Amino acid sequence: SLRGLGSSARRAREDSWLKSLFVRKVDPRKDAHSNLLAKRETSSLYKLQFHNVKPECLEAYNKLCQEVLPKIHEEKHYPCALVGTWNTWYGEQDQAVHLWRYEGGYPALNEVMSKLRQNKEFTEFRKERGNMLLSRKNQLLLEFSFWNEPVPRDGPNIYELRSYQLRPGTMIEWGNYWARAIRFRQDSNEAVGGFFSQIGQLYMVHHLWAYKDLQTREDIRNAAWHKPGWDELVYYTVPLIQEMESRIMIPLKISPLQ
């Protein structure tokens, strides 16, 4: 009947309208996200380590790291550098965070790992360290092309590591928005580095910031809201996020980021 045909057409239109709410047209791409977002002039790979330490062992763990990690950092034999090493102050407690750079990407990582396996002192270090840990995880990262290169800086500073779990498929959008947003956060030299995961937990973004203290952090973040355009960029990036976490961290004495 005509009524039945009209009803079917209406349902088809409603189905089409509902699908349009949930399905976005995706442009075909011929390049990986990492090639579109990462620095072209460098081929550095970063490793971010999270170590949850037994509370009673944190002091001994820090002492052990301060003895061994600088040797790896300073040894020309290893194509890697310690970017920063911290204890989490606010966030997960009794936690150590280490950030390493491998000059030359995956071949450099493989070279360092192979050489460290032959290093008796490092083997003993890992064994002793293992007895102090409750859990550990790591991620391999690339740096966003539009962020500062993380270079050593004088202190004292506190550091904030803001970690974002993005919805799968939204990394390009995030990069497009933050390529504009980062200019709002350069006035006080607080931007240290921005990274996205390649191996480990995927669609993870980490932004690393430095502040003199918690009140300075609050003042700088509040000032961004008075800059025309910042609120709009926050409005568009928030829907891309599934989860987010903030850590306030204190650098160890050996950290190049002080």
Side-chain angles (χ1 to χ4, degrees), residues 37-39 46 99 141-150 161-162 174 178 182 191-197 204-209:
L37 293 167
K39 282 182 165 58
Y46 290 81
L99 181 62
L141 315 170
L142 295 176
E143 54 187 331
F144 283 113
S145 59
F146 45 84
W147 270 78
N148 298 339
E149 184 88 12
L161 183 66
R162 294 178 72 85
W174 179 274
W178 264 95
I182 191 64
V192 178
F195 313 90
F196 60 98
S197 61
M204 283 293 299
V205 169
H206 299 283
H207 291 174
L208 184 61
W209 309 91

Side-chain angles (χ1 to χ4, degrees), residues 238-257:
V238 165
L240 309 181
I241 302 168
Q242 281 188 337
E243 290 181 34
M244 57 188 293
E245 183 178 5
S246 168
R247 289 175 176 82
I248 301 295
M249 310 184 302
I250 304 295
L252 298 187
K253 285 182 284 188
I254 59 165
S255 178
L257 287 169

Side-chain angles (χ1 to χ4, degrees), residues 144 163-175 196 201-205 237-244:
F144 283 113
S163 302
Y164 303 89
Q165 177 69 62
L166 301 187
R167 291 192 295 108
T170 61
M171 187 66 77
I172 294 290
E173 286 180 77
W174 179 274
F196 60 98
Q201 193 170 349
L202 298 179
Y203 286 98
M204 283 293 299
V205 169
T237 52
V238 165
L240 309 181
I241 302 168
Q242 281 188 337
E243 290 181 34
M244 57 188 293

Side-chain angles (χ1 to χ4, degrees), residues 91-115:
E92 287 198 50
Q93 297 294 280
D94 305 306
Q95 185 182 69
V97 180
H98 309 289
L99 181 62
W100 292 87
R101 179 194 295 117
Y102 296 87
E103 309 286 353
Y106 292 107
L109 173 70
N110 290 337
E111 183 183 342
V112 171
M113 294 300 103
S114 176
K115 286 177 176 175

Side-chain angles (χ1 to χ4, degrees), residues 116-252:
L116 286 177
R117 278 194 289 271
Q118 310 302 318
N119 183 325
K120 192 171 180 183
E121 184 184 14
F122 185 77
T123 304
E124 289 299 314
F125 161 72
R126 277 183 62 111
K127 186 176 175 182
E128 192 174 347
R129 185 188 69 183
N131 294 327
M132 301 178 180
L133 299 182
L134 293 168
S135 66
R136 61 193 180 104
K137 69 174 182 178
N138 60 25
Q139 294 173 1
L140 294 180
L141 315 170
L142 295 176
E143 54 187 331
F144 283 113
S145 59
F146 45 84
W147 270 78
N148 298 339
E149 184 88 12
V151 295
R153 64 170 67 197
D154 296 330
N157 293 295
I158 61 170
Y159 287 80
E160 181 175 18
L161 183 66
R162 294 178 72 85
S163 302
Y164 303 89
Q165 177 69 62
L166 301 187
R167 291 192 295 108
T170 61
M171 187 66 77
I172 294 290
E173 286 180 77
W174 179 274
N176 286 339
Y177 286 127
W178 264 95
R180 286 180 280 154
I182 191 64
R183 72 177 188 269
F184 293 105
R185 300 295 309 276
Q186 301 281 16
D187 292 354
S188 303
N189 195 32
E190 72 266 29
V192 178
F195 313 90
F196 60 98
S197 61
Q198 281 289 90
I199 295 178
Q201 193 170 349
L202 298 179
Y203 286 98
M204 283 293 299
V205 169
H206 299 283
H207 291 174
L208 184 61
W209 309 91
Y211 304 102
K212 288 300 174 191
D213 50 42
L214 286 173
Q215 185 58 53
T216 303
R217 170 188 175 273
E218 185 75 1
D219 294 343
I220 288 173
R221 288 174 54 80
N222 285 339
W225 289 98
H226 297 288
K227 298 175 182 177
W230 172 255
D231 56 345
E232 182 183 357
L233 289 165
V234 171
Y235 175 82
Y236 284 118
T237 52
V238 165
L240 309 181
I241 302 168
Q242 281 188 337
E243 290 181 34
M244 57 188 293
E245 183 178 5
S246 168
R247 289 175 176 82
I248 301 295
M249 310 184 302
I250 304 295
L252 298 187

